[in-house]
Amino acid sequence: MHIALLEDETTLALEIQALLTGAGHTVEHYVDGHQIMRALLRDTFDLFVLDWHVPGPNGMDVLHHLREVLKLSTPVVFLTSNSAEEQIVQALDAGADDYCAKPVRTHEFMARLAALQRRMAPPAANPQGGELLPGYVFDHIERIVRVDGEPVVLTEKEYELSRLMFENPDRPIARNRIMQEIWGREEDALSRTLDVHISWIRRKLNIGANAAKVRLVVVHGFGYRLMKMAPTEGEAS
């Protein structure tokens, strides 16, 4: 997972980062609420670990921003030095998925994250591919996509880009995250390359802005989102 950690205690933050990276995750660390909110303008995360009391907007403010403003359902785990029932209930009612009390018990913390990851994980994908959305069948062996039964040949990068988008329908994905996933690095020089590849797969897979069933659209200032169109919308367009 790509994890955002909001924690202003340096020692604890380093400890948590070491635990998470050791388990194979990537971690972006932020020390105040303003930092993590700015990061949300350019990056996509799979999990948020939020300390309650931090400078600037606190953890609850960030949670409210995630749930009420950005409308994200990404899992959130709270870290709190106050294990009082009232505070825990407040966090859970506001949209948090779990919590851990400080000082963090490392084995419990990792077990809670692993359980949350299992609950949130999509069904296991067929390593050979399959139908990711109605009418779009991905063949991971031949590296082709069948659109309504017709084979479409893609380049390696086009295929991986298409696969990333189709495996995350209706989820905005940041440009930086896409470049990291497909090209293994985030560089301004790749920005034009990404846009060109987006243009190619839109045309080849018929997922442009006016497509009836599936549309790959720009999320301005952030990245791209693959949208599943409702039948009525598709018929109307």
Side-chain angles (χ1 to χ4, degrees):
M1 293 186 292
H2 187 47
I3 300 174
L5 170 64
L6 176 61
E7 174 58 64
D8 64 331
E9 296 181 28
T10 303
T11 301
L12 178 58
L14 291 173
E15 177 184 345
I16 292 175
Q17 279 188 284
L19 286 171
L20 295 175
T21 55
H25 307 297
T26 59
V27 183
E28 298 293 338
H29 173 221
Y30 307 99
V31 298
D32 64 54
H34 291 299
Q35 280 190 356
I36 194 169
M37 286 187 176
R38 286 195 297 268
L40 289 167
L41 298 174
R42 64 179 188 274
D43 207 348
T44 306
F45 298 99
D46 304 307
L47 174 72
F48 293 89
V49 178
L50 305 179
D51 185 14
W52 191 298
H53 300 291
V54 295
N58 64 27
M60 284 295 290
D61 295 328
V62 173
L63 176 61
H64 180 271
H65 185 71
L66 292 171
R67 296 293 189 249
E68 303 301 325
V69 178
L70 300 180
K71 304 298 183 183
L72 295 178
S73 59
T74 309
V76 172
V77 175
F78 252 94
L79 299 178
T80 175
S81 56
N82 185 348
S83 58
E85 181 180 7
E86 180 180 352
Q87 189 177 53
I88 293 169
V89 170
Q90 182 182 353
L92 297 176
D93 283 347
D97 297 276
D98 206 344
Y99 73 93
C100 280
K102 293 182 179 180
V104 173
R105 295 189 290 267
T106 57
H107 294 297
E108 177 189 344
F109 176 70
M110 295 304 292
R112 285 178 179 271
L113 292 194
L116 187 59
Q117 186 178 13
R118 288 194 299 270
R119 292 202 304 269
M120 299 296 178
N126 184 336
Q128 295 184 340
E131 188 172 53
L132 297 184
L133 288 178
Y136 290 87
V137 178
F138 282 67
D139 186 332
H140 299 338
I141 304 301
E142 297 294 330
R143 316 299 281 180
I144 63 173
V145 180
R146 297 186 183 278
V147 181
D148 294 328
E150 294 296 321
V152 177
V153 178
L154 302 174
T155 67
E156 181 70 18
K157 296 301 184 187
E158 289 170 359
Y159 186 87
E160 290 303 326
L161 178 57
S162 301
R163 180 177 176 179
L164 174 65
M165 302 309 299
F166 273 81
E167 287 179 347
N168 293 276
D170 295 321
R171 179 187 182 189
I173 304 181
R175 296 177 67 87
N176 288 351
R177 183 70 181 279
I178 296 172
M179 288 187 281
Q180 183 64 48
E181 292 280 345
I182 305 304
W183 284 275
R185 62 191 191 279
E186 303 168 17
E187 297 178 2
D188 290 340
L190 282 175
S191 186
R192 177 58 181 163
T193 300
L194 171 58
D195 293 337
V196 169
H197 279 71
I198 290 288
S199 177
W200 286 340
I201 66 171
R202 275 174 165 167
R203 176 172 50 82
K204 290 184 177 182
L205 300 182
N206 189 26
I207 53 175
N210 297 315
K213 296 191 299 183
V214 181
R215 297 177 186 176
L216 182 53
V217 301
V218 175
V219 180
H220 292 288
F222 184 76
Y224 293 95
R225 177 173 63 175
L226 190 75
M227 297 176 59
K228 296 181 294 183
M229 307 307 295
T232 53
E233 288 184 78
E235 293 168 4
S237 63

